[in-house]
Amino acid sequence: LGNRNISGGDVPERVFTALVLDDLFPIIALKPYLGRGFTPGELAPRGPDVAIISHRLWLTRFRGDRGIVNPTIRIGGQTATVVGVVPKELVLIGADLWIPWGGDPASGPRNARQFNVLARLAPGVSLESANAELSTIAAQVQAAEGAAFKEYEGWRLTASPWAAALLQDVRPVAFVLIGAVSLVLLIACANLANLLLARSTTRHRELAVRLALGAGRTRIVRQLLVENLMLGILGAAVGLGFAYVGLQFAEALIPAEFSGLGLDAAVNQRVLAWRVAMGLLAAVLVTLLPAWHATRTDPQDSLRSDSRTGGARASVRMRQGLIVAEIALSVVLLCGAGLLMRSFLNMQSVDLGFNPRGVLTMRLTLPHQKYPTGEAITAFFEE
């Protein structure tokens, strides 16, 4: 991995580059968007200079030119032929350029462990059995190399699913956000259930008459559920509308450092399915309490004038209980938001140990052709 300067457009551009030992497309089980993958001859040492570019780079730098395959570009001062464009859905460690490494891993120093391994499980092999085999290999390497290289003391090899490896840093934050959204949904459900409970008191005699005429309690619950499902579907549709409009402004909210990862927020089939499921769940949640309250009493007692007061009092108690639940959930959300804001402010005020005003940071990767040795690289930075 590293950075390379590429030419072949208006201005040179610095892109994150992956050096590969094998063709990546059979591993990821995807076909190139354009062109092909690397051949064994191109991956061999001293093979021809070839490159594969990302779909994002193809769109932004080369303006979606479908004739990009086979033309040459300059990479770090050398000419290379573009042989393929990866598909849009592929996001691999933020890389925009793939080139053959052209080296032999066995010839490198034993304490240099800068490789990232991307592999596919063989048919019928579980992740647990793969990790068991990797543990055995790691123990063998530690026994053979631990005395000469301290880097191998306690060395372990562990395989993880690609999605877990890619999202391991943001997964805890995502779960926190999902929890916060779930609390907001519960508050909304309690609020709507409260309104429906108040509405059910006005229909108390209507439902009691229907029960007295022979309607089953299940039938009454089914009627209320159908009515509320219409509200759930309407709410889901309105929510999707707001989401679609909000995503038009999402680019302004996404940090610039994420743009190179190819992250794209959109309303897709998975979002639609999740939204429909949440709408149905919300409809069921807001139906349970009003339906239980409407059908729990004897219809004959409900039709008596003196029992309506008792039913109203019971309804008021339930509504008050829902209000208490809403307040409790809101307090939890407010406390969480306050703690997050406090943590953010504390991070902003951490003493760095130096004055950061006017201090810049950058990353440089010198071309190997011009700086082939460590002495030349050291001299450059010293100068």
Side-chain angles (χ1 to χ4, degrees), residues 11-51:
V11 294
E13 183 175 351
R14 195 169 188 78
V15 296
F16 193 57
T17 306
L19 307 179
V20 297
L21 287 167
D22 206 345
D23 188 18
L24 59 93
F25 291 108
I27 300 299
I28 61 177
L30 290 175
K31 294 182 179 179
Y33 185 81
L34 293 174
R36 57 173 176 81
F38 294 128
T39 64
E42 294 167 345
L43 293 165
R46 295 180 295 280
D49 294 321
V50 291

Side-chain angles (χ1 to χ4, degrees), residues 275-296:
R275 191 65 194 92
V276 170
M278 289 298 99
L280 295 177
L281 177 62
V284 172
L285 288 177
V286 301
T287 301
L288 291 178
L289 190 58
W292 175 77
H293 176 261
T295 60
R296 73 184 180 92

Side-chain angles (χ1 to χ4, degrees), residues 103-104 128 152 159 193 215-216 228 232 235 239-240 243 247 259 322 329 337 363 380:
D104 182 9
E128 291 74 18
Y152 287 99
N228 294 331
L240 285 173
L247 286 176
S259 60
L322 285 174
L329 292 174
R363 182 171 181 174
F380 170 85

Side-chain angles (χ1 to χ4, degrees), residues 55-202:
H55 190 275
R56 186 198 71 83
L57 192 66
W58 174 65
L59 287 178
T60 56
R61 181 170 184 83
F62 301 102
R63 300 180 178 86
D65 181 13
R66 302 188 71 87
I68 189 63
V69 177
N70 293 327
T72 59
I73 59 176
R74 294 190 65 82
I75 303 175
Q78 283 188 317
T79 301
T81 302
V82 177
V83 298
V85 177
V86 302
K88 179 180 179 181
E89 58 268 28
L90 177 62
V91 179
L92 282 179
I93 52 182
D96 281 316
L97 179 68
W98 289 266
I99 58 177
W101 183 43
D104 182 9
S107 63
R110 278 304 290 179
N111 58 345
R113 302 184 314 200
Q114 69 271 34
F115 299 103
N116 293 299
V117 179
L118 183 64
R120 176 174 294 275
L121 289 173
V125 176
S126 66
L127 182 63
E128 291 74 18
S129 60
N131 276 323
E133 186 174 351
L134 287 174
S135 179
T136 303
I137 294 173
Q140 294 172 351
V141 173
Q142 179 184 0
E145 307 291 344
F149 302 101
K150 63 179 181 179
E151 290 85 357
Y152 287 99
E153 294 179 4
W155 190 46
R156 295 291 181 268
L157 283 174
T158 304
S160 300
W162 174 247
L166 186 66
L167 301 176
Q168 60 181 352
D169 294 334
V170 299
R171 187 178 295 270
V173 179
F175 280 124
V176 170
L177 291 177
I178 290 175
V181 171
S182 300
L183 287 179
V184 173
L185 178 61
L186 287 176
I187 292 173
C189 288
N191 202 355
L192 189 55
N194 212 344
L195 294 174
L196 293 176
L197 192 59
R199 179 172 175 263
S200 69
T201 58
T202 63

